[in-house]
Amino acid sequence: MYFIPMMQRPVNTKEPIGNDLSLYAGAMVVQTERPMNNMETLAARTLASINPNLAVVKFQTFDQQVSDRFTDERMIARMTMLFGALALLLATIGLYGVTAYTVVRRTSEIGIRMALGAERRGVIAMVMRGAIVQTALGLAIGIPIAFLCVRFVKAQLYEITNADAGVMAIAIITLAAAACVAGMIPARRAASTDPVQALRTE
């Protein structure tokens, strides 16, 4: 990338100078001493007073120009957040399905435990323990992989040199909370099981 004077014409240009539109300013920058709400109207009125044939195609503030430069980056960030939320939702549904299936398979065992005097909170703790163990195993596998993947994606991300401990902690807490919610539903269902009905289940 390099800069050349606006009024400098290339040597190999064969077009008549009168038809060379590159000699005209395509954009103007206006700086004010203080914020002005009607800046667009004042600029259009001033240009019209200079030459009524001048047309303002687009008027943007500096903040709007900066914002337009990062449209693609914002879209990628939002898509990444969306995919992360979908991954969390799928993980939660998967953990719920596995926990619910485990509870169904252990219905007879739960009925025997409750018939022998097991308390409801003890049954909930038993089911939740299994969900937490599965979550811990998933985190034990996922955290090292996440740190390893940072080495390969940091070149594609701005000012990312290492995994952010704060973001990683938030992700772990969020996943753990989702796992607790996913495990609590089948756990409460198991705790409300009628021991007589559970013992009759084959």
Side-chain angles (χ1 to χ4, degrees), residues 28 41-56 59:
M28 297 180 62
T41 304
L42 290 175
R45 187 183 306 164
T46 303
L47 290 174
S49 65
I50 297 173
N51 186 348
N53 295 323
L54 293 176
V56 179
F59 187 92

Side-chain angles (χ1 to χ4, degrees), residues 49-136:
S49 65
I50 297 173
N51 186 348
N53 295 323
L54 293 176
V56 179
V57 178
K58 182 170 61 173
F59 187 92
Q60 283 185 306
T61 64
F62 184 72
D63 292 337
Q64 290 172 340
Q65 295 181 49
V66 172
S67 178
D68 287 348
R69 295 291 182 180
F70 293 96
T71 301
D72 294 341
E73 286 76 7
R74 282 198 303 272
M75 182 186 67
I76 293 174
R78 289 170 182 170
M79 292 295 292
T80 304
M81 292 177 61
L82 176 62
F83 288 136
L86 288 175
L88 179 62
L89 178 62
L90 290 175
T92 305
I93 294 174
L95 183 60
Y96 167 77
V98 172
T99 306
Y101 177 71
T102 304
V103 170
V104 171
R105 291 192 59 185
R106 300 178 64 181
T107 302
S108 299
E109 176 189 348
I110 294 173
I112 293 173
R113 289 176 179 270
M114 296 184 69
L116 294 177
E119 296 182 358
R120 182 177 181 182
R121 59 184 179 182
V123 175
I124 294 177
M126 179 186 67
V127 177
M128 288 295 297
R129 193 180 305 116
I132 292 174
V133 168
Q134 293 177 8
T135 305

Side-chain angles (χ1 to χ4, degrees), residues 33-46:
E33 294 181 354
R34 61 184 184 277
M36 302 179 68
N37 297 327
N38 58 341
M39 189 62 205
E40 183 175 358
T41 304
L42 290 175
R45 187 183 306 164
T46 303

Side-chain angles (χ1 to χ4, degrees), residues 112-172:
I112 293 173
R113 289 176 179 270
M114 296 184 69
L116 294 177
E119 296 182 358
R120 182 177 181 182
R121 59 184 179 182
V123 175
I124 294 177
M126 179 186 67
V127 177
M128 288 295 297
R129 193 180 305 116
I132 292 174
V133 168
Q134 293 177 8
T135 305
L137 290 175
L139 291 175
I141 297 172
I143 292 175
I145 294 177
F147 279 106
L148 181 63
C149 290
V150 171
R151 299 176 55 186
F152 299 101
V153 300
K154 66 181 180 181
Q156 307 296 326
L157 302 175
Y158 179 69
E159 289 189 350
I160 299 297
T161 57
N162 203 349
D164 191 336
V167 174
M168 188 69 71
I170 293 174
I172 293 173

